[in-house]
Amino acid sequence: MNCRLMFVKIQVVFVGGRTQPGTVKPEEGDRHPYSVLDCASQREAILPFVLYIQKTLRRRPFLIKNLENVMRKFLQSLEFFEENERKKLAIFTALAFSQKLSGLPPETVFQPLLKDNLVAKGIVLSFITEFFKEYLEENSLDDLIALLKKGKMEDNLLDFFPSAKRSSEALSEHFTKEGLTSLVEYNEKKMFEVKLKEIKSTLTAMINDEAAISEVIETVKQQVKDAKFPDLEVIRMLWDVLMEAVQWSGKNQQQNSNAALRQVKAWTELLNAFCTSGRLELELIHKVQTQCYEDAKLMKLFPEIIRTLYDQDVLAEDTIVLWFRKGSNPKGRQSFVKALEPFVKWLEEAEEEE
């Protein structure tokens, strides 16, 4: 059987007959009732067609290009199908990837969908929603993200939305309504990562340019407000950026210690502007603890950093004592508590004398 006949055969699986040249409309003549578009819009009814094509491709793997061409043709012409027919095509497409249909590249599906007229009419959003719902019936969110990544769409979910609805809020509302909350959470995480990267980039540039601390504080506050950033994440981000901006001196431990402490002292006003409660101060201690545990350059510097933050009024005595008595972060806690013990003892004795 030559390739032209197999191309027609694959078309028949979808529509029950040959299509007119340049269209998705069936040619005149008989159509058999056993096709994707003529069956029920349920996975149980459509799966046999996927398995049939899979079996065919195993015998004739070179025909994958024919399947690609047929699917591209139909997906670019979704507006000519009825809503229920588009749903069947979406289910078929999802099952094709779930069954790992031999060699079918994801870009064959996702890229043809991005025609402006299809997106503007909401046809693409409806199709891709059905696709996501069906695919996630048997696959994990990680599987779906990997598929989107191969199709170069993992960071572009909003491209499926009409321009008037192309916002994170609209995406969350739509997919939540459709029961795809895991996809909403994924998108929120991606947006968080993008905003975090932007804020860190801005802060790093201002530190390197030795901008005035007041200007840095105002800029970070505005970006944090615009991004609706959680206050705990702000504290973690500030400490990360400050430590990443330190000019480390290779293996010279003393120089590294001095550089880290200079950085802390130079930017305590910035930390103080955002450590506005005992809860945030405790988060800063936990962040310092984690980095000192994970970074050999800072391992012995924990008590000195805490002492510096106390001297500069970033950390309150009560917060330090609370961490010392009841801190929950286990990373290096035993050794750090021992190292901080003399300082805590001094704090408590000074309080008794007062």
Side-chain angles (χ1 to χ4, degrees):
M1 187 177 293
N2 64 39
C3 290
R4 172 58 185 163
L5 289 177
M6 286 305 300
F7 180 81
V8 172
K9 188 175 181 180
I10 291 175
Q11 284 186 333
V12 170
V13 171
F14 282 94
V15 299
R18 294 179 61 175
T19 58
Q20 296 174 13
T23 76
V24 294
K25 297 180 180 179
E27 290 184 342
E28 295 298 327
D30 294 334
R31 292 178 62 198
H32 69 72
Y34 307 108
S35 66
V36 172
L37 296 185
D38 286 312
C39 72
S41 55
Q42 299 171 349
R43 68 186 319 275
E44 294 79 8
I46 296 174
L47 181 58
F49 295 100
V50 177
L51 298 178
Y52 169 76
I53 291 180
Q54 185 179 57
K55 185 177 179 180
T56 301
L57 291 175
R58 285 173 179 168
R59 293 199 304 267
R60 298 181 176 89
F62 59 90
L63 294 175
I64 187 64
K65 291 300 295 183
N66 290 10
L67 176 62
E68 286 182 45
N69 292 334
V70 170
M71 292 192 68
R72 186 179 294 111
K73 177 181 178 181
F74 286 138
L75 294 176
Q76 289 177 333
S77 308
L78 284 176
E79 61 188 317
F80 299 114
F81 292 97
E82 299 294 331
E83 182 177 353
N84 194 44
E85 292 175 330
R86 291 196 290 267
K87 180 178 180 180
K88 294 172 187 177
L89 288 174
I91 294 173
F92 177 93
T93 307
L95 289 173
F97 286 117
S98 291
Q99 296 296 319
K100 297 179 174 55
L101 206 60
S102 303
L104 184 63
E107 57 266 28
T108 297
V109 173
F110 299 125
Q111 297 307 317
L113 289 174
L114 299 180
K115 289 179 63 176
D116 291 342
N117 63 314
L118 295 179
V119 174
K121 294 176 181 178
I123 292 173
V124 172
L125 181 57
S126 177
F127 177 90
I128 206 67
T129 300
E130 293 296 337
F131 173 89
F132 288 157
K133 289 163 73 173
E134 180 58 44
Y135 187 81
L136 289 171
E137 283 290 323
E138 291 189 342
N139 301 275
S140 68
L141 179 65
D142 288 341
D143 293 330
L144 176 59
I145 300 308
L147 189 65
L148 290 170
K149 189 172 184 178
K150 290 177 182 177
K152 301 176 182 178
M153 291 301 302
E154 82 278 14
D155 295 325
N156 303 302
L157 291 178
L158 286 176
D159 289 351
F160 295 127
F161 284 70
S163 57
K165 297 181 178 180
R166 203 164 287 173
S167 68
S168 295
E169 292 77 15
L171 185 148
S172 297
E173 181 180 353
H174 173 76
F175 286 131
T176 297
K177 183 180 178 181
E178 295 293 337
L180 294 168
T181 53
S182 61
L183 200 59
V184 174
E185 292 168 359
Y186 164 78
N187 187 67
E188 290 175 347
K189 181 180 178 182
K190 291 294 293 186
M191 295 300 296
F192 172 83
E193 291 171 352
V194 170
K195 292 174 182 177
L196 175 61
K197 187 176 181 180
E198 291 175 353
I199 296 175
K200 291 180 75 170
S201 178
T202 299
L203 179 55
T204 299
M206 296 188 80
I207 290 174
N208 292 337
D209 293 341
E210 299 181 349
I213 292 182
S214 58
E215 181 185 353
V216 175
I217 292 173
E218 190 61 34
T219 300
V220 174
K221 280 187 175 181
Q222 187 59 52
Q223 285 196 308
V224 164
K225 180 181 178 181
D226 293 342
K228 299 178 182 178
F229 232 53
D231 49 11
L232 291 176
E233 293 294 343
V234 175
I235 299 301
R236 296 165 190 156
M237 179 271 298
L238 290 176
W239 184 258
D240 282 340
V241 173
L242 290 179
M243 289 298 101
E244 288 168 4
V246 173
Q247 299 297 315
W248 303 108
S249 303
K251 296 182 179 180
N252 190 313
Q253 183 62 41
Q254 188 57 51
Q255 289 183 9
N256 284 330
S257 297
N258 293 339
L261 289 174
R262 280 197 304 271
Q263 185 81 323
V264 173
K265 291 176 181 177
W267 292 97
T268 50
E269 188 176 342
L270 173 64
L271 293 170
N272 206 10
F274 292 91
C275 282
T276 55
S277 68
R279 182 176 69 98
L280 297 176
E281 291 176 20
L282 191 61
E283 182 60 33
L284 178 58
I285 297 179
H286 285 158
K287 185 64 183 176
V288 174
Q289 176 188 349
T290 298
Q291 185 157 17
C292 287
Y293 174 77
E294 296 176 348
D295 191 336
K297 297 188 297 293
L298 301 175
M299 180 66 76
K300 297 181 180 180
L301 209 56
F302 179 76
E304 293 184 66
I305 292 176
I306 298 302
R307 176 71 182 253
T308 300
L309 292 172
Y310 170 78
D311 290 340
Q312 300 296 321
D313 295 325
V314 177
L315 297 178
E317 175 185 336
D318 290 346
T319 306
I320 296 173
V321 173
L322 176 63
W323 175 88
F324 183 81
R325 301 294 183 200
K326 300 180 179 180
S328 59
N329 188 342
K331 293 186 175 181
R333 175 168 171 76
Q334 187 173 354
S335 59
F336 290 145
V337 165
K338 185 175 181 180
L340 198 62
E341 187 173 4
F343 177 55
V344 172
K345 185 177 180 181
W346 176 82
L347 287 175
E348 292 175 333
E349 290 176 350
E351 184 179 5
E352 290 176 1
E353 289 177 4
E354 292 179 3

